Amino acid sequence: MNTSAQSHSLQKPKILVARAIFPDQLAKLEESFEVQSNQEDRIYSADELKKALSGVVGALVTGSERIDAGALADAKDLKIVANISVGYNNFDVPAITAAGVMASNTPDVLTDTTADFGFALLMATARRITESEHWVRAGNWKQWSLINNPLGMDLHHTTIGIIGMGRIGQGIAKRASGFGMNVIYHNRSRLPEADEKACRATYVSKEELLKTADHVVLVLPYTPENHHTIGEKELALMKPTATLVNIARGGIVDDLALAQALKAKKIFAAGLDVFEGEPTVNPELLKLSNIVLAPHIASASEKTRRAMVDLAVKNLTAAVAGTKPPSLINTEVFKG
Ligand code: 8YV
């Protein structure tokens, strides 16, 4: 073997890490790969992403990177785009498949952390916790009062309506049972009886759920069909005492219609972790006090964010080694 062939055979496969990850996880990756990383964490423009994907065999990306035919135009060596996210509406899956590239996501590892957060956001919303804090900080608390301090809505022994009954929806249902809540749900397809039993959940139509739930929680994936699942018409069906929580994706709720419904007190309050056009938040929402806002942090515990990266790395490493990634989305691309 001549020297250049030798050095070629010793070369590590080149990969892209499109966003900042924990430094020790990056250092571990660098043992096996030549890593082009973006620890600066500035989101690539479409053109920068296209360039960054050219010449790499694998890429770790997040929901901020749109992977479509344009992004893949020069990615001739790419075997996998491994999303550090369970939702993958940032992927144009048919275009990725047409390019012969595998696509993977990070299910399961974030289920409980995300369900915990969904429940926390629901409690904060129903019991007006952030609004109360702002009120205290603004010096408004002059005396304890039976009726003139912020009064919220109960969770215990009320009805929770969950739209989207995947793993995270089921996690929220189980938590709700612990609060003595009656659980109703709506989903594309009804769950098997054993799963309904495990969640103590009853399947209802979307309309019945909106009309009867005291608390509506959205946990469905974003697809074009799910765009504005909650708009003016749906908000009008809800009780004036009801709360709405969105931990799914921006675009599932019509944020302007929601702001109008909250302003007119057509519903009691809302808790949002995701927004249409995030990180921009509709200014009409920012004017309201009967709302709790969070910056898309449902999966954000360090332990879980690390587990998401670990699973994405497993997917990437498997694809580069020619084995099947554990959470491959477009299985038809894998030639075992
Ligand atoms: C991610 C999420 O943090 O997994 C998901 O679907 O919404 C979050 O856990 C986000 O998508 C960034 O990739």
Side-chain angles (χ1 to χ4, degrees):
M1 211 187 274
N2 66 31
T3 325
S4 100
Q6 242 167 6
S7 73
H8 185 73
S9 70
L10 291 174
Q11 256 174 20
K12 295 174 186 168
K14 199 169 165 196
I15 64 162
L16 170 71
V17 178
R19 297 297 304 279
I21 61 173
F22 294 103
D24 58 301
Q25 289 185 308
L26 183 64
K28 186 102 193 22
L29 269 173
E30 283 168 342
E31 290 172 13
S32 315
F33 299 102
E34 185 189 331
V35 183
Q36 176 186 335
S37 72
N38 177 13
Q39 286 300 94
E40 192 196 334
D41 216 21
R42 182 182 60 77
I43 296 175
Y44 293 132
S45 67
D47 205 47
E48 286 170 332
L49 181 60
K50 182 171 128 184
K51 284 200 186 106
L53 287 170
S54 133
V56 300
V57 294
L60 293 188
V61 300
T62 72
S64 311
E65 286 71 50
R66 172 82 188 149
I67 308 294
D68 54 15
L72 297 176
D74 296 336
K76 303 300 170 217
D77 303 322
L78 192 64
K79 293 184 182 354
I80 185 164
V81 273
N83 221 17
I84 310 172
S85 171
V86 64
Y88 52 87
N89 55 304
N90 57 314
F91 282 180
D92 178 341
V93 177
I96 298 172
T97 303
V101 174
M102 288 180 257
S104 64
N105 66 339
T106 58
D108 302 317
V109 292
L110 49 67
T111 301
D112 282 319
T113 297
T114 305
D116 280 354
F117 181 84
F119 220 81
L121 188 56
L122 172 59
M123 293 186 82
T125 303
R127 296 299 301 271
R128 303 173 64 181
I129 291 176
T130 54
E131 186 188 346
S132 293
E133 183 182 343
H134 292 149
W135 190 76
V136 171
R137 285 182 190 271
N140 290 323
W141 192 21
K142 304 291 183 216
Q143 58 180 20
W144 184 90
S145 168
L146 199 67
I147 60 168
N148 289 319
N149 288 166
L151 299 176
M153 293 293 166
D154 279 327
L155 262 74
H156 70 89
H157 303 102
T158 62
T159 294
I160 184 170
I162 301 170
I163 303 186
M165 201 59 157
R167 305 172 190 84
I168 299 167
Q170 292 178 44
I172 289 173
K174 286 174 186 158
R175 283 158 179 77
S177 289
F179 276 69
M181 296 174 94
N182 172 41
V183 182
I184 58 176
Y185 78 97
H186 183 73
N187 198 43
R188 232 174 347 175
S189 49
R190 196 171 161 173
L191 294 186
E193 215 181 303
D195 293 342
E196 281 189 350
K197 243 188 178 157
C199 297
R200 298 189 197 173
T202 306
Y203 181 82
V204 295
S205 69
K206 180 177 149 191
E207 187 173 331
E208 185 179 342
L209 183 146
L210 293 169
K211 281 182 176 164
T212 54
D214 298 299
H215 307 284
V216 176
V217 180
L218 305 172
V219 209
L220 61 168
Y222 182 82
T223 60
E225 303 78 63
N226 290 343
H227 186 73
H228 288 184
T229 290
I230 302 293
E232 190 186 348
K233 184 173 116 238
E234 290 75 20
L235 290 159
L237 293 175
M238 290 174 65
K239 298 179 186 180
T241 50
T243 61
L244 176 73
V245 165
N246 185 9
I247 57 163
R249 277 291 179 271
I252 286 180
V253 174
D254 176 344
D255 284 351
L256 181 59
L258 175 62
Q260 286 162 350
L262 287 168
K263 192 173 171 201
K265 304 254 178 340
K266 288 193 175 150
I267 67 169
F268 180 70
L272 304 177
D273 185 44
V274 287
F275 303 84
E276 287 189 289
E278 67 185 51
T280 303
V281 177
N282 189 310
E284 294 306 310
L285 290 173
L286 293 172
K287 289 181 193 160
L288 302 164
S289 57
N290 51 345
I291 188 164
V292 180
L293 307 167
H296 199 149
I297 53 167
S299 69
S301 72
E302 180 172 336
K303 191 171 166 216
T304 290
R305 287 282 165 90
R306 284 178 170 279
M308 291 163 72
V309 172
D310 283 341
L311 179 52
V313 168
K314 270 191 198 140
N315 282 311
L316 180 144
T317 307
V320 173
T323 57
K324 191 172 176 186
S327 41
L328 181 60
I329 297 162
N330 52 353
T331 48
E332 65 272 38
V333 176
F334 177 69
K335 309 263 182 310

